[in-house]
Amino acid sequence: MASSNVGFHSLASCLVFFLLPWTFAEGGKLLVIPIDSSYWLSMRPVVERLRRRGHEIVVLVPEINLRIGLSGHYTMKTYSVPYTKEYVEAEELIKSLGESKFEAVFMDPFFPCGQIVAEHLSLPSVYLVRGLPCSLDFHATLCPHPPSYIPRFFTRYTDRMGFLQRVGNLLDFNYGCALCWQEFEAIVNASGEHGIVVFSLGSMVSEIPIKKAKEIADALGTVPQTVLWRYTGQVPPNLPKNVKLVKWLPQNDLLAHPKTRAFITHGGSHGIYEGICNAVPMVLMPLFGDQMDNAKRIESRGAGLTLNVLEMTTKDISTALQTVINDKKSVIETQPFSFYPV
Ligand SMILES: *[C@@H]1O[C@H](CO)[C@@H](O)[C@H](O)[C@H]1NC(C)=O
């Protein structure tokens, strides 16, 4: 009995010994490009499982990020931030990625960096995505999404819809994006000669303490512009008439509108590039990460003014906003500015 057990064990070890190299030999080389958000928490287990199956994995992340840390499951490569420009220019990095001979890219396609890299390296990609605005994910994948059965974003419907819900879903399906843009356009049109101010603290922060929100609301009431504020927190009781709170706004489209006079932003790299491209002066309220540096750079080029979020008063906000809107000298010769990298 004992001897047959020993025999079994050595046979098993032999099998393992011979099979192991096979498992590794079948492993591929995978480049992973996540975005720094909670969606990484869904990607990470997939990456770990792939590693356990013997694949070799490199995760490409911004040098400053909140959620993606080192791990024994993958090699991490970083690129500097703000990255929109440096990313393309990081020749060394791109060259080394090319030389690594990856077989595929696994990415979160919410921001298009992953797709650009995959296209550049001529690699097939696999997306892990919750959804993209305007059902772009369905269109891009040619995936059927009948409105009778597949609920649209923000409708809160499930796949079991009653008649009226299906009608609502159908309308949202056909007109969703066009309608919301028309609503924004109507607000912009109604703003008259003074135009509008676009205010968003980015996709990660849309709620702020109510005390701060009240101070900000008071300041916004001191300008004649209509302010479109992306904000989902408790509505400040002193919200002035010229301020419209929205849960989402088409930031780049609004910034591109000739009636847009200023952009209040936290100074994230996407936002500031959109501000620069559209030559809109900015009031910067940096919160964390690369935002302080971004804000100071924008300020040093005369494209905006930076506020200290913790210390700013109603008066500070109001003065900064009025300055960027009215004082052409202190703000920008925005046109030439848009040609310089920050
Ligand atoms: C806004 O104004 C433009 C230019 O006058 C016009 O073409 C457009 O239809 C208006 N849009 C809305 C929604 O009122």
Side-chain angles (χ1 to χ4, degrees), residues 181-190 257 259:
W181 173 240
Q182 263 178 18
E183 282 165 7
F184 282 107
E185 199 181 28
I187 296 174
V188 175
N189 281 5
H257 201 284
K259 276 184 178 243

Side-chain angles (χ1 to χ4, degrees), residues 90-340:
E91 282 176 27
E92 284 294 305
L93 176 66
I94 295 290
K95 195 159 153 255
S96 87
L97 292 178
E99 285 164 358
S100 299
K101 300 269 176 282
F102 291 106
E103 284 154 85
V105 187
F106 175 44
M107 72 179 83
D108 184 324
F110 195 79
F111 297 131
C113 293
Q115 293 92 315
I116 294 169
V117 173
E119 177 74 22
H120 184 75
L121 301 176
S122 305
L123 292 173
S125 358
V126 178
Y127 294 169
L128 183 74
V129 61
R130 162 64 184 86
L132 296 172
C134 306
S135 307
L136 281 180
D137 45 329
F138 285 107
H139 295 302
T141 52
L142 299 179
C143 178
H145 54 306
S148 58
Y149 179 72
I150 309 285
R152 302 294 153 233
F153 247 100
F154 304 125
T155 56
R156 302 186 188 181
Y157 299 155
T158 68
D159 57 355
R160 295 182 186 192
M161 290 175 268
F163 178 70
L164 285 180
Q165 290 178 323
R166 286 182 185 202
V167 172
N169 202 43
L170 176 72
L171 291 177
D172 195 67
F173 171 59
N174 283 331
Y175 306 111
C177 283
L179 257 189
C180 64
W181 173 240
Q182 263 178 18
E183 282 165 7
F184 282 107
E185 199 181 28
I187 296 174
V188 175
N189 281 5
S191 70
E193 53 164 331
H194 291 298
I196 64 158
V197 170
V198 179
F199 181 6
S200 170
L201 296 183
S203 57
M204 294 173 85
V205 179
S206 53
E207 294 187 27
I208 42 183
I210 187 69
K211 183 169 171 287
K212 211 79 229 169
K214 276 191 201 158
E215 287 168 10
I216 293 176
D218 274 337
L220 299 178
T222 64
V223 295
Q225 282 73 26
T226 300
V227 181
L228 278 164
W229 182 4
R230 179 190 180 277
Y231 177 74
T232 57
Q234 189 189 340
V235 178
N238 57 337
L239 196 72
K241 283 210 171 57
N242 64 324
V243 181
K244 309 248 179 283
L245 298 183
V246 289
K247 291 195 173 66
W248 172 86
L249 47 77
Q251 185 167 288
N252 199 34
D253 292 333
L254 287 172
L255 291 174
H257 201 284
K259 276 184 178 243
T260 301
R261 304 281 181 263
F263 178 29
I264 309 177
T265 167
H266 61 305
S269 47
H270 277 272
I272 59 170
Y273 277 108
E274 290 181 352
I276 294 167
C277 284
N278 295 300
V280 177
M282 293 170 247
V283 170
L284 299 130
M285 299 182 178
L287 302 164
F288 50 74
D290 58 325
Q291 299 162 8
M292 322 282 174
D293 289 349
N294 297 346
K296 280 297 166 194
R297 288 183 198 189
I298 291 290
E299 192 173 75
S300 74
R301 306 292 166 100
L305 293 173
T306 304
L307 292 170
N308 179 329
V309 205
L310 298 177
E311 290 169 8
M312 66 189 184
T313 60
T314 297
K315 185 156 185 305
D316 297 333
I317 305 168
S318 167
T319 309
L321 191 53
Q322 297 194 15
T323 309
V324 301
I325 293 171
N326 301 321
D327 189 350
K328 297 279 180 285
K329 189 157 44 69
S330 87
V331 183
I332 10 177
E333 288 295 314
T334 33
Q335 260 359 80
F337 178 78
S338 56
F339 295 113
Y340 298 121

